[in-house]
């Protein structure tokens, strides 16, 4: 164990967050294909918590299972999430310090989206999981949008309010839009945090104007474990889901979105899409054999010869 790892473990332990005692429930059916066949991939996450990840044997969707309840995650995001991430990295990451990174991210996403938003009539923009509102504020200025964010973290909602962004505190799944439609919907580094990807994407589809755009990205699970050489380091309790390009695009198709542009982030961890609404394809799945190939790749990384592994185990 290196000094960095030891100090990290000490910082995380000092938070006294007892994940093991939190109420959890087992998810019977795959959120993408409905299968009940699971392969257990890991037993602990990067923080050292006893968090189990599983892979659907039918479609290859990876998720935490069992996982905390919605109430457990509500408590987690209100008081634990940012201190835990701070302890992991050894620096303060909170609603104030995160804004510089969010501004850089907003500028990267601006260049991605710009060709699809020529100047014309004023548009409405909904940022699902919009955090401090930095991205929504930047898009509002750059593209003449009226921005709205929805997020469950009160500290981050307060920062967004200070920027003059319309805010909704809570989860998109529980929000009643009362007939509102949006011309652009963003889900930036949000899908991985959802408790029900299919339901949330379907709701986003119902909120999108007929000529609207969805811009969404994922933390690519495959990129994360290939870069670290360690499957456990690619998992964490704050991400109930672990998508790759194949599972993400199957979700989009089922919810009624057609990708029209894709981009890999500058740090190579994220994959982003711009999508237009289309008719849902209820039978959409990753390519045949994908689930098997993903599991084989995971096993290779887990059991690679010592000289190829980065964790030294």
């Amino acid at each position: 164990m290196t000094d960095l790892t030891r100090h990290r473990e000490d910082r995380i332990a000092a938070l006294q967050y007892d994940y093991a005692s939190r109420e959890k429930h087992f998810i019977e059916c795959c959120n993408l294909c409905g299968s009940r066949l699971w392969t257990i991939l890991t037993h602990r996450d990067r923080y050292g918590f006893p968090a189990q990840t599983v892979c659907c044997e039918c479609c290859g969707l990876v998720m935490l299972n069992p996982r905390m309840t919605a109430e457990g995650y509500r408590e987690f995001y209100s008081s634990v999430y940012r201190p835990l991430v701070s302890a992991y990295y050894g620096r303060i990451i909170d609603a104030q310090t995160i804004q510089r990174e969010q501004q850089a991210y907003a500028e990267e996403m601006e260049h991605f989206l710009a060709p699809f938003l020529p100047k014309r009539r004023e548009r409405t923009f909904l940022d699902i999981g919009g955090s401090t509102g930095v991205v929504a504020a930047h898009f509002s200025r750059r593209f003449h949008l009226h921005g709205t964010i929805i997020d469950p973290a009160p500290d981050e909602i307060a920062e967004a309010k200070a920027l003059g962004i319309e805010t909704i505190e809570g989860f998109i799944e529980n929000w009643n839009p009362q007939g509102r439609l949006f011309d652009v919907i963003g889900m930036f580094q949000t899908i991985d945090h959802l408790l029900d990807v299919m339901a949330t994407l379907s709701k986003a589809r119902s909120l999108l104007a007929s000529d609207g755009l969805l811009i969404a990205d994922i933390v690519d699970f495959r990129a994360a474990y290939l870069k670290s050489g360690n499957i456990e380091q690619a998992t964490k309790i704050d991400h109930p889901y672990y998508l790759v390009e194949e599972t993400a695009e199957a979700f989009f198709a089922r919810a009624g979105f057609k990708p029209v542009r894709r981009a890999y982030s500058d740090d190579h961890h994220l994959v982003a899409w711009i999508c237009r609404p289309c008719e849902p394809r209820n039978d959409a799945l990753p390519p045949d054999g994908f689930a098997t190939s993903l599991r084989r790749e995971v096993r290779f990384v887990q059991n690679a010869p010592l000289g190829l592994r980065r964790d030294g185990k």
Side-chain angles (χ1 to χ4, degrees):
M1 181 185 296
T2 66
D3 287 343
L4 175 62
T5 303
R6 186 180 301 109
H7 294 159
R8 175 179 287 160
E9 290 182 354
D10 291 343
R11 292 193 300 266
I12 292 172
L15 297 176
Q16 297 185 325
Y17 180 63
D18 188 0
Y19 173 77
S21 70
R22 294 304 192 270
E23 181 182 357
K24 301 177 185 67
H25 62 269
F26 181 79
I27 310 302
E28 293 188 7
C29 299
C30 174
N31 193 245
L32 177 56
C33 72
S35 170
R36 295 172 180 262
L37 299 175
W38 303 103
T39 295
I40 298 172
L41 300 182
T42 65
H43 301 269
R44 288 192 170 269
D45 76 343
R46 73 177 189 177
Y47 306 118
F49 294 132
Q52 182 173 277
T53 55
V54 301
C55 177
C56 174
E57 294 191 8
C58 176
C59 70
L61 178 66
V62 177
M63 60 181 289
L64 293 181
N65 200 7
R67 70 177 185 218
M68 287 192 295
T69 64
E71 182 57 37
Y73 271 108
R74 190 173 291 110
E75 174 196 358
F76 176 77
Y77 284 118
S78 67
S79 60
V80 179
Y81 173 49
R82 292 299 185 193
L84 178 60
V85 175
S86 298
Y88 182 81
Y89 287 107
R91 58 187 174 88
I92 299 298
I93 301 174
D94 59 20
Q96 289 76 44
T97 62
I98 197 66
Q99 293 185 40
R100 178 177 295 180
E101 295 177 24
Q102 291 176 337
Q103 181 60 38
Y105 174 87
E107 292 169 5
E108 184 174 349
M109 288 294 101
E110 170 197 332
H111 295 299
F112 181 46
L113 185 59
F116 292 82
L117 283 180
K119 292 182 180 180
R120 54 187 179 98
R121 63 179 177 83
E122 182 181 2
R123 294 179 177 84
T124 52
F125 171 56
L126 175 65
D127 190 349
I128 298 172
S131 185
T132 64
V134 167
V135 175
H138 183 81
F139 276 30
S140 296
R141 292 190 301 269
R142 174 64 177 83
F143 300 119
H144 307 286
L145 302 169
H146 173 73
T148 302
I149 75 160
I150 182 166
D151 195 277
D155 289 350
E156 305 195 17
I157 284 287
E159 295 294 322
K161 285 182 178 178
L163 293 176
I165 299 295
E166 179 188 5
T167 61
I168 302 161
E169 184 175 334
F171 293 95
I172 188 68
E173 298 95 319
N174 304 323
W175 178 51
N176 181 1
Q178 298 181 329
R180 292 178 68 177
L181 293 176
F182 296 87
D183 298 297
V184 183
I185 295 179
M187 298 178 68
F188 303 111
Q189 300 185 41
T190 293
I191 289 178
D192 321 274
H193 292 271
L194 298 174
L195 297 184
D196 190 332
V197 176
M198 193 70 250
T200 302
L201 284 173
S202 295
K203 186 158 189 177
R205 176 68 173 80
S206 73
L207 294 170
L208 190 64
S210 60
D211 61 346
L213 296 171
L214 172 77
I215 176 170
D217 61 8
I218 63 169
V219 177
D220 185 354
F221 180 52
R222 182 185 287 119
Y225 69 66
L226 289 177
K227 284 192 78 171
S228 68
N230 185 306
I231 306 300
E232 285 76 9
Q233 283 296 313
T235 69
K236 46 189 177 179
I237 60 171
D238 34 304
H239 281 191
Y241 287 97
Y242 301 87
L243 275 61
V244 295
E245 292 180 64
E246 292 86 349
T247 50
E249 293 187 354
F251 268 123
F252 292 146
R254 287 192 175 223
F257 293 109
K258 178 181 179 181
V260 294
R261 197 180 198 198
R262 178 190 335 209
Y264 301 141
S265 65
D266 188 49
D267 66 3
H268 314 304
H269 272 175
L270 307 178
V271 184
W273 290 265
I274 295 172
C275 302
R276 294 194 184 277
C278 66
E279 286 298 313
R281 288 177 44 213
N282 298 324
D283 59 348
L285 287 172
D288 290 344
F290 169 73
T292 299
S293 65
L294 180 67
R295 291 198 308 274
R296 286 175 178 168
E297 186 175 76
V298 165
R299 291 298 285 157
F300 175 80
V301 173
Q302 288 174 328
N303 295 283
L306 184 61
L308 297 178
R309 298 197 62 181
R310 301 181 186 179
D311 57 4
K313 297 180 181 178

